[in-house]
Structure formats: structure tokens, C-alpha cells
Amino acid sequence: MKEPQDRNELVGALLAAEYADAGIDSDAMRRVRDGEHEEWLSALEATGMFGIRALAEIAGEWTADPRLLRDALLAEADEFTRRRCLATWAALGRPAAEPPARAVAVAVPH
């Protein structure tokens, strides 16, 4: 099974086609941000276009940067949906699993 040069474009096209009619809502944005990616991985698996290794790589990429999945889902969205989803994304803040960044003081001997 040969994959195209830019797998992200293919993933975006497949997911956009799959979810265009259903729409993307604020709950979907929350699930993407929180790492609940099983629904979308299953959709990709069902296409038969990706092997197990490729799906594992995609899952790892989405876990490391959920914006990749968000952008794939919004690849074919109309401008209104895109703006609404990006506003929802911004309002969600940090993922639940990601603690807020903390400043750390380091004592330096004189």
C-alpha cells in the first residue's frame, strides 16, 4: 500500500468528506483537544487506505499536536463553520491532561 507524499492532505480530505454533512460542533472540538481521537482514527481505518503503522503514526502526531486533527476536520469546512470552530477551540483553553505552565525559580549561588 503506497501512501501519497503529503499524508496530512489525504487525511484532511478523507475526514472532511466523512464529517462534512454531520458538521463539526463544539463537543467535537473538545474531544479533539482532549485527545479523544478514536472516532476519527476508526474512520481512517475504515477507508482501508492506511496500514497499522501509518495509523499509529497518525495517532501519535494527533496526540502530540491535536491541532493537526482539528485542521484536518476543518479542511473543507465553510468559512462560518471554520470561524465558529476556531473560536470554540480558543475558548476551550488548554487540554485537560496538559497542566498550565509554571514559572520555576532557580537559586543561583553568588
Side-chain angles (χ1 to χ4, degrees), residues 11 17 19 28 35 38 41 53 62 70-71 84 91 107:
V11 168
Y19 291 93
E38 297 80 16
L41 286 168
R53 178 177 284 145
W62 291 351
R70 177 201 67 193
D71 293 346
R84 180 177 43 83

Side-chain angles (χ1 to χ4, degrees), residues 15 19 23-41 58-74 85-86 88-89 92-98:
L15 291 178
Y19 291 93
I24 302 298
D25 59 13
S26 59
D27 187 53
M29 290 292 101
R30 182 204 50 80
R31 292 192 318 272
V32 168
R33 186 219 43 192
D34 288 349
E36 299 172 20
H37 304 150
E38 297 80 16
E39 170 184 356
W40 297 287
L41 286 168
I58 292 167
E61 291 168 1
W62 291 351
T63 298
D65 187 358
R67 294 173 299 177
L68 294 172
L69 174 53
R70 177 201 67 193
D71 293 346
L73 290 170
L74 296 175
C85 287
L86 292 175
T88 297
W89 183 272
L92 289 170
R94 295 182 182 277
E98 183 182 323

